[in-house]
Amino acid sequence: MVKRLLSGILVITLAVFVIAQTGIEATAETSSIQFRDVTQQAGIRFTHNNGAFGKKFLPETMGPGVAFIDYDNDGWPDIFLVNGMDWPGHVRKHATPKLYHNNHDGTFTDVTHKAGLDIELYGMGVAVGDYDNDGFDDLFVTAYGQSRLFHNNGNGTFTDVTQKAGLIGPKEFSTSAAWLDYDKDGHLDLVVGNYVQWTPETDLYCTLDGKSKSYCTPESYKGTSVHLWHNRGNGTFEDATQKAGLGDPTSKTLGVAVLDYDNDGWPDLLFSNDTQPNKLYRNNGNGTFAEKAVVAGVAFSEDGVARAGMGVDASDYDHSGYASLLITNFSNQMLSLYHNEGKGLFVDEAPRSEIGRASLLTLGFGCFFFDYDLDGWPDVLVANGHIDADIQRVQANVKYAMPPHLFRNLGKGKFEEVTKSVGQAFSSPRVGRGAAYADINNDGRLDLLLSTNGGPVYLFRNEAQGSAAANHSLRIKLTGTKSNRDGIGATVKLSSGGETQTLMLRSGSSYLSASELVLTFGLGERDKADAIEIRWPSGQVDRLSNVDAGATITVTETRGITSTRKYAK
């Protein structure tokens, strides 16, 4: 920890100079878009329990994740919140995950007990997907200990089927997870990131000041492999990690992203690793993967250093037709913005952009691309927060609680930070971790859910005024027939007014979290999509034309639009 926290004194000095010169800390004018904190009025009462009791156990610094899941298929995203628990021998309170039902009126109801999810586990992250193609999304919750698979019974309840599904394994420190159909057989497989080999019995003593115990860096512990679980199609899974070529025991994975970086139609995998090189696995199309991170330029920083990778996301942010990568890192390391050059090579644009300058002193966790202002260009959200409450004792310029970052995409590869302009509550410092997005009130705009370590969760509603309210969007919900029921892995190209956007429906990304499984396309002032092309994992290609904005459409594989729901006024 000392090595990581005390390094970069020159970097910090440079950061202070850069901030002063660029005016990043200058007060911004109020934006026509505000993210309003509606947590309390929505009825969400949740405080994360990380179990901390003074021993500074490593898992206490990491969680929790959050998720949006429409578990009852009513078209309104519900909320699932991961929780930790007290350590054995130090039990103070009963803590469980929480499931909140969306009441369609801006409020949510706690249905955890009714749903059968009031189960204690030291939860970390969550992935949402319909693994058995029954039309109802299921929950996979990662944990320190035994991760759990909860099957959605379709009647408002869930059943723990971990053992029945064959997912019982050794005690692990699991983090982010994602559903994907890596072999395109129509059944969702599961990839799970694992962090380090840590137990309370093997916990090490680390210190920042030489006097008191601090949380150790992952450099103090051995890494471990990710896991790939192949879906047999009968409700059970088999461990395909070694067979697929993913069994690197040195990884220390925190973030998982699924993307098709070479546009060959097969889903690839990016793992962000903490103090180990990131891993980029190209899907060979035969059930195996080949590791390409070094040759692709995403394993290290520009100066060849393995950074502390946390969260990750992928998106075609510049309309190039190729998915680029965003990775959050430790303080003094800045964000990574790896631009996809289209030939299997990425170039980190962060050091030359405001994204790099503004993030130099922050420690990022949850992150994603999303079009918050509906102008057709994916923007960037980053949840920030340090891991040690005592950090200011050794680095005066680095805080424990930090504001998030919101970077507006200006087009042509340029971003500007607008955090302070979208609301005082949103820009307040917190110990941020998980982050996810969804349209909670059917207005066509993406709202935000942010978690904090050992603290509350925050729900922010996206509210537009003036000219910003005039921007249109079109939301697409996919239903697979030959492909998996959720349509995860499908790539959608939407053309409108001479611009073409490309989005891939993906599980995972961010940090420990899951955003809604609906694609939102911002159209700006344009009121329709001229053309839409959907490439399903099965190979089926469906095309639509002249689709009006202002609605969420459901597109069923081979059948076209099967339902349309207009936005609420």
Side-chain angles (χ1 to χ4, degrees):
M1 177 63 75
V2 174
K3 176 182 177 182
R4 184 159 62 163
L5 297 184
L6 293 181
S7 64
I9 301 301
L10 290 177
V11 174
I12 295 174
T13 304
L14 175 61
V16 174
F17 173 77
V18 169
I19 290 172
Q21 295 300 307
T22 58
I24 291 172
E25 293 298 327
T27 301
E29 296 181 1
T30 300
S31 169
S32 54
I33 292 179
Q34 298 284 288
F35 281 104
R36 188 159 72 88
D37 184 353
V38 295
T39 315
Q40 293 301 311
Q41 74 180 61
I44 296 175
R45 309 285 188 268
F46 176 83
T47 300
H48 173 239
N49 178 23
N50 60 16
F53 65 101
K55 289 290 187 179
K56 299 290 182 79
F57 285 167
L58 186 59
E60 298 166 2
T61 69
M62 308 308 296
V66 296
F68 286 106
I69 174 175
D70 182 8
Y71 76 95
D72 55 355
N73 285 351
D74 64 355
W76 296 78
D78 311 298
I79 289 173
F80 180 78
L81 305 174
V82 181
N83 208 351
M85 61 182 290
D86 290 327
W87 296 103
H90 299 276
V91 176
R92 295 165 296 181
K93 58 185 176 181
H94 182 69
T96 74
K98 291 291 183 181
L99 179 66
Y100 285 92
H101 177 258
N102 190 327
N103 298 323
H104 312 178
D105 60 0
T107 68
F108 291 76
T109 299
D110 185 347
V111 294
T112 311
H113 179 72
K114 179 181 178 182
L117 291 171
D118 51 348
I119 299 171
E120 278 198 306
L121 75 165
Y122 201 100
M124 296 296 297
V126 56
V128 175
D130 182 3
Y131 77 90
D132 58 351
N133 290 333
D134 67 352
F136 291 91
D137 281 333
D138 310 296
L139 286 166
F140 182 77
V141 181
T142 66
Y144 169 73
Q146 177 62 58
S147 298
R148 307 282 190 93
L149 176 62
F150 295 100
H151 177 259
N152 187 335
N153 300 318
N155 60 1
T157 69
F158 291 78
T159 299
D160 185 343
V161 295
T162 311
Q163 185 167 359
K164 179 181 177 181
L167 293 173
I168 295 290
K171 180 179 288 188
E172 291 181 308
F173 191 164
S174 297
T175 52
S176 294
W179 296 99
L180 78 160
D181 185 3
Y182 77 92
D183 56 356
K184 299 202 290 189
D185 64 355
H187 302 284
L188 287 177
D189 311 299
L190 178 66
V191 63
V192 182
N194 290 306
Y195 194 31
V196 295
Q197 298 180 39
W198 176 92
T199 67
E201 294 74 27
T202 60
D203 184 66
L204 299 174
Y205 181 87
C206 298
T207 180
L208 282 175
D209 56 11
K211 300 176 182 178
S212 56
K213 189 177 189 292
S214 302
Y215 291 109
C216 291
T217 169
E219 291 170 310
S220 304
Y221 301 98
K222 292 181 179 180
T224 186
S225 170
V226 303
H227 273 311
L228 178 65
W229 296 97
H230 176 255
N231 189 334
R232 294 189 178 106
N234 61 0
T236 69
F237 295 80
E238 60 183 335
D239 190 343
T241 311
Q242 298 299 325
K243 180 181 178 181
L246 299 180
D248 180 356
T250 66
S251 294
K252 300 177 180 180
T253 298
L254 289 177
V256 177
V258 183
L259 72 159
D260 182 6
Y261 79 93
D262 53 0
N263 287 351
D264 67 351
W266 292 87
D268 311 305
L269 291 166
L270 188 286
F271 299 105
S272 55
N273 289 321
D274 191 357
T275 70
Q276 288 291 312
N278 299 319
K279 301 292 184 182
L280 176 63
Y281 287 96
R282 181 180 181 273
N283 192 327
N284 296 323
N286 61 1
T288 68
F289 292 80
E291 211 288 297
K292 300 289 185 181
V294 173
V295 296
V298 299
F300 305 99
S301 64
E302 280 193 327
D303 52 359
V305 175
R307 287 182 277 193
M310 308 292 184
V312 61
D313 195 20
S315 182
D316 175 17
Y317 72 83
D318 61 347
H319 296 182
S320 66
Y322 290 91
S324 296
L325 289 164
L326 176 73
I327 301 176
T328 55
N329 298 304
F330 213 78
S331 52
N332 306 325
Q333 294 182 343
M334 75 175 57
L335 292 169
S336 305
L337 181 63
Y338 290 111
H339 180 261
N340 191 332
E341 301 292 301
K343 298 179 180 179
L345 179 67
F346 294 78
V347 174
D348 190 358
E349 296 291 343
R352 291 168 289 281
S353 75
E354 184 159 331
I355 280 184
R357 292 190 294 269
S359 65
L360 192 53
L361 294 181
T362 51
L363 198 168
F365 281 90
C367 66
F368 46 74
F369 294 96
F370 77 131
D371 189 359
Y372 83 93
D373 55 0
L374 304 181
D375 65 355
W377 296 90
D379 311 297
V380 170
L381 184 283
V382 180
N384 295 311
H386 212 278
I387 62 169
D388 202 308
D390 299 325
I391 183 59
Q392 278 194 275
R393 288 163 46 188
V394 292
Q395 287 193 28
N397 293 316
V398 178
K399 307 294 192 294
Y400 180 51
M402 301 174 176
H405 289 303
L406 180 62
F407 295 103
R408 182 169 181 261
N409 189 335
L410 304 177
K412 298 181 180 180
K414 296 186 180 298
F415 293 84
E416 67 172 346
E417 183 163 20
V418 295
T419 308
K420 289 189 174 181
S421 71
V422 295
Q424 183 176 356
F426 174 80
S427 62
S428 297
R430 58 183 61 89
V431 187
R433 291 296 185 264
Y437 60 81
D439 178 8
I440 62 170
N441 56 343
N442 188 36
D443 67 352
R445 296 185 172 277
L446 293 175
D447 310 295
L448 297 172
L449 185 63
L450 304 179
S451 73
T452 63
N453 183 33
V457 68
Y458 295 87
L459 180 64
F460 292 99
R461 191 169 66 205
N462 184 334
E463 298 182 347
Q465 304 167 351
S467 60
N471 281 355
H472 300 284
S473 70
L474 178 64
R475 288 164 47 78
I476 302 177
K477 171 72 174 174
L478 300 176
T479 301
T481 53
K482 301 176 186 177
S483 304
N484 67 85
R485 182 65 178 260
D486 281 325
I488 288 173
T491 298
V492 181
K493 290 186 178 181
L494 182 149
S495 299
S496 180
E499 289 284 351
T500 298
Q501 306 175 51
T502 304
L503 292 177
M504 179 180 180
L505 185 66
R506 298 174 297 114
S507 167
S509 284
S510 189
Y511 173 77
L512 307 178
S513 300
S515 294
E516 65 174 353
L517 293 175
V518 180
L519 298 176
T520 298
F521 289 90
L523 301 179
E525 297 179 353
R526 300 178 292 275
D527 60 2
K528 70 175 182 177
D530 299 325
I532 299 173
E533 178 187 273
I534 304 170
R535 292 188 175 272
W536 299 86
S538 67
Q540 170 71 24
V541 179
D542 291 336
R543 293 182 174 88
L544 310 170
S545 60
N546 296 319
V547 181
D548 289 336
T552 300
I553 61 172
T554 298
V555 180
T556 301
E557 188 175 10
T558 74
R559 294 171 54 192
I561 299 175
T562 50
S563 71
T564 300
R565 185 176 68 152
K566 296 288 187 180
Y567 297 156
K569 297 297 183 181

